[in-house]
Amino acid sequence: MSRPKSKLQGPWIIKGKRARAESFNPIQDHSHEYSHGCPSPQAGLGRSKGDARSSDDQKDEIPVENYVAQRYIENPYLIGGRKFDLRVYVLVMSYIPLRAWLYRDGFARFSNTRFTLSSIDDQYVHLTNVAVQKTSPDYHPKKGCKWMIQRFRQYLASKHGPEAVETLFSDMDNIFIRSLQSVQKVIISDKHCFELYGYDILIDQDLKPWLLEVNASPSLTASSQEDYELKTCLLEDTLHVVDMEARLTGREKRVGGFDLMWNDGPVSREEGAPDLSGMGNFVTNTHLGCVNDRKKQLRQLFRSLQSQKKASS
């Protein structure tokens, strides 16, 4: 009698609650051990009756831990034969109503070894985390393994054209908003709190973005001078949006490197109330990977706010 085809074909990743970002636990085929997540009947064969205990006793002794199972993307988009993912920053000022800002800067993190599925256990091939890659024997600390997201966007535009790139980045916008909306009702909403998230996005060969994970406390450790400048500006602009000095009016759609992408609804690039009836000409107010002239914008913003204040006094 032939064995039924396993539903778990191909590599899968299992990650426990306490697993670190640099852990990598691939599963090629679990059909011989598990059936729909439960141990197979053969797992208990070979025990003597004296060793057998009731299943209830065993359940009490075995600690329960939650795991996340993810299908491994076998066709990632490669640059120079190497795998990469994107780190993008989203600032949430409120969940009810949802108010979220997208940062213009980010980076692509590359593996230091050419991609192949023949060595599925090689972390230097499959994990792009800097904590992993910097331990690679041929890692170059000055060159690093990162591209600024502006350089990545320009590369894609030169290879696939601007329309394909606009579609890709629009799909990523949807990932940011839909993921926040999915937890909107379970996150405690406090008007005195904010959260800066680090999104990890993988792109496949069809230019389709996949959400890997959302980091509630993204690392702000710099691995290069360029990385240091990005993260210091990110923190500075975060504090500008938080606005503890109460300098902003609350109607701003851009503050430094942050663009307001959702304010209890989509935010349009155009001034005034957007017409959402057909959504035909609607363009979301996001500029990920575009020019980040944050210093010039901040000077203009605060000069304008100061003039408004003087005029009203």
Side-chain angles (χ1 to χ4, degrees), residues 68-137:
V68 174
Q70 293 177 304
R71 180 68 182 269
Y72 188 73
I73 307 300
E74 300 177 68
N75 62 331
Y77 191 97
L78 305 179
I79 297 180
R82 288 166 171 79
K83 180 183 174 182
F84 66 93
D85 67 4
L86 303 178
R87 167 57 61 87
V88 182
Y89 297 99
V90 174
L91 175 63
V92 177
M93 295 299 297
S94 167
Y95 269 98
I96 302 176
L98 183 60
R99 185 176 173 87
W101 300 73
L102 179 64
Y103 203 59
R104 295 190 173 202
D105 291 343
F107 50 83
R109 301 179 298 188
F110 288 84
S111 63
N112 210 43
T113 307
R114 296 180 69 86
F115 180 79
T116 175
L117 284 173
S118 61
S119 55
I120 193 67
D121 294 321
D122 190 339
Q123 61 180 358
Y124 297 128
V125 173
H126 302 282
L127 293 180
T128 61
N129 308 70
V130 176
V132 173
Q133 294 300 325
K134 69 181 182 181
T135 63
S136 174

Side-chain angles (χ1 to χ4, degrees), residues 19-33:
R20 293 174 58 84
E22 53 265 30
S23 62
F24 184 72
N25 304 305
I27 301 175
Q28 291 287 9
D29 187 357
H30 257 199
S31 60
H32 64 290
E33 295 177 3

Side-chain angles (χ1 to χ4, degrees), residues 281-296:
N281 298 322
F282 183 84
V283 180
T284 307
N285 185 46
T286 54
H287 302 267
L288 180 62
C290 297
V291 174
N292 186 7
D293 54 343
R294 52 176 298 277
K295 290 184 178 180
K296 177 181 177 182

Side-chain angles (χ1 to χ4, degrees), residues 225-277:
Q225 181 61 33
E226 191 175 43
D227 198 30
Y228 173 82
E229 293 173 0
L230 184 158
K231 290 173 178 175
T232 52
C233 293
L234 170 68
L235 288 175
E236 183 179 344
D237 289 345
T238 297
L239 294 177
H240 284 316
V241 175
V242 172
D243 191 28
M244 290 181 285
E245 299 91 348
R247 292 181 294 178
L248 304 180
T249 65
R251 298 186 298 272
E252 292 82 6
K253 293 200 293 187
R254 182 186 177 188
V255 177
F258 277 108
D259 296 290
L260 182 63
M261 65 173 172
W262 196 268
N263 187 17
D264 201 23
V267 179
S268 172
R269 291 186 189 179
E270 302 298 328
E271 295 298 330
D275 179 14
L276 302 180
S277 56

